[in-house]
Amino acid sequence: MSNSAKKVEAIFNRHSEAEIQYFDTQEEAIQFLENGLKTKELQPVAVISNYKVVWRHHNNRGKAYTDDYIKESRARAL
């Protein structure tokens, strides 16, 4: 995978499918997810940098996605 050199993962759901997009910086990944949420093109889940969750989206109930949900979404996307 050519994107493997990039260290930051943006995890999201689009059309009920989990997906990952890779970025060079946390800021780029967060901006991508926030823009996708505004345009209603995707449902953000989290941003992972160096194997750590650095940003997580809050779902409609106001609770942060759990680490288990993030791990499950990431596994489905890979």
Side-chain angles (χ1 to χ4, degrees):
M1 173 185 297
S2 62
N3 287 334
S4 61
K6 296 186 178 184
K7 297 179 183 75
V8 182
E9 299 177 11
I11 303 167
F12 57 95
N13 292 305
R14 184 185 348 228
H15 310 301
S16 75
E17 294 291 324
E19 296 182 41
I20 294 177
Q21 189 153 332
Y22 297 89
F23 294 90
D24 292 319
T25 67
Q26 294 177 26
E27 292 77 19
E28 288 175 317
I30 292 167
Q31 189 66 42
F32 170 77
L33 293 180
E34 288 178 342
N35 287 341
L37 182 62
K38 282 182 200 170
T39 61
K40 298 182 179 174
E41 291 180 13
L42 54 88
Q43 179 63 45
V45 175
V47 172
I48 295 178
S49 178
N50 296 324
Y51 306 103
K52 293 180 184 168
V53 176
V54 294
W55 181 92
R56 65 180 75 218
H57 179 68
H58 291 266
N59 64 18
N60 293 336
R61 286 175 240 123
K63 294 181 180 177
Y65 285 127
T66 65
D67 289 341
D68 288 341
Y69 180 81
I70 293 168
K71 286 176 191 170
E72 181 183 310
S73 295
R74 185 175 182 275
R76 282 185 304 167
L78 293 176

